[in-house]
Amino acid sequence: EDLGAVFAAYFDAQERLADDDLGGFIEAAKRLDGAVESVRVIGLSGEPLGTWRRAGGKLRQDPTITSMEGARLSFEQMSEAIMSLQDEFGNPSNETHYTAYCPMAFDFKGAQWLQRGQEINNPYFGSAMLRCGDIEDTHTPINPPSDPVEASEHEGHDHD
């Protein structure tokens, strides 16, 4: 359950990069650091604990980021970490997440990220190529909202 705040801060970072908002990304990265620090690992052992430790280290950001290029490089590492958490623990929120992929990121090396919503919001190019990429996977919540009204309020919810 502690991972909800981690995912929320990650999504904020992703959305700020897609908006070309370096200051917003830096603030989201600080919130992400705080969320990572507050995750309780009591009860985790073996591979789940190893996954958390590896991901937690990658989610901590370099406090000296001063450029969009640096932020986007850092975000690639964040994305690798958050996707490993998604794979190990599932989607901790009450809304569906999507794995997106841009084949052109990092000189055609390509890169993935998680995002809210099915419309591509490319954090690696921002406004230059905001819609470049494809949705590759869908991640439904592990504990979906039980109240149909609450569930319908999140359908089509735009996070911009």
Side-chain angles (χ1 to χ4, degrees), residues 3-120:
L3 291 179
V6 172
F7 276 74
Y10 167 85
F11 287 128
D12 191 30
Q14 180 267 319
E15 291 163 1
R16 299 298 66 84
L17 286 179
D19 289 341
D20 298 319
D21 179 359
L22 179 60
F25 171 80
I26 291 169
E27 287 303 312
K30 288 178 186 175
R31 282 193 305 279
L32 181 58
D33 284 345
V36 167
E37 287 296 320
S38 68
V39 170
R40 297 168 287 171
V41 296
I42 295 169
L44 283 182
S45 63
E47 187 54 32
L49 180 59
T51 298
W52 167 249
R53 286 185 175 155
R54 287 186 298 277
K58 287 183 176 183
L59 288 169
R60 290 193 173 83
Q61 296 306 295
D62 178 355
T64 63
I65 292 173
T66 58
S67 69
M68 287 302 290
E69 181 180 335
R72 289 182 166 127
L73 283 170
S74 179
F75 183 74
E76 180 185 26
Q77 179 175 296
M78 288 170 60
S79 292
E80 290 171 5
I82 205 80
M83 286 186 286
S84 71
L85 293 176
Q86 170 70 55
D87 292 344
E88 181 72 35
F89 301 106
N91 174 352
S93 78
N94 62 359
E95 61 188 335
T96 300
H97 302 159
Y98 300 90
T99 299
Y101 175 76
C102 174
M104 296 178 70
F106 304 110
D107 293 323
F108 294 94
K109 181 183 100 179
Q112 291 182 308
W113 69 92
L114 284 183
Q115 67 174 38
R116 298 183 265 217
Q118 294 183 53
E119 183 176 53
I120 295 293

